[in-house]
Amino acid sequence: MANTPQAKKRIIRNAKRAEINGARISRIRSFIKKVEAACEAGDKDAAAAALKAAQPEMARGVARGVLHKNTVARKMSRLTRRVATL
């Protein structure tokens, strides 16, 4: 257990941030799943719309420091290619 007041504060803050970051990652995953589901169904219009909604969420994840920029770039690239090949 933490001994100093600063360490105790840090534990509380880390727990709060972990909850927020977890929710943000979950939200991004949900957007990605919508794109993948539309691709599986073969619906190009729905997939394109879902991708358009997912891109800013993924970029926001990078800006907030939740995801690494190369990870998001790779995922965006793969999703864009999947939608384009429909």
Side-chain angles (χ1 to χ4, degrees):
M1 186 61 195
N3 291 325
T4 64
Q6 292 90 344
K8 289 176 184 173
K9 255 198 242 181
R10 191 67 119 165
I11 288 169
I12 293 166
R13 201 229 37 195
N14 286 349
K16 286 180 186 173
R17 292 310 310 171
E19 191 174 333
I20 292 165
N21 290 341
R24 193 167 275 134
I25 289 172
S26 175
R27 181 177 163 84
I28 290 168
R29 280 194 194 124
S30 297
F31 275 93
I32 291 170
K33 283 178 187 171
K34 285 178 188 172
V35 178
E36 289 172 343
C39 288
E40 292 283 324
D43 190 354
K44 186 169 179 129
D45 294 334
L51 180 63
K52 194 169 183 172
Q55 284 176 333
E57 286 296 325
M58 293 167 81
R60 201 168 295 124
V62 172
R64 301 279 191 259
V66 175
L67 297 168
H68 194 273
K69 68 176 185 173
N70 289 351
T71 303
V72 170
R74 183 182 67 242
K75 287 178 187 269
M76 270 196 213
S77 175
R78 288 178 183 172
L79 286 174
T80 304
R81 194 174 24 170
R82 267 186 85 180
V83 171
T85 57
L86 283 178

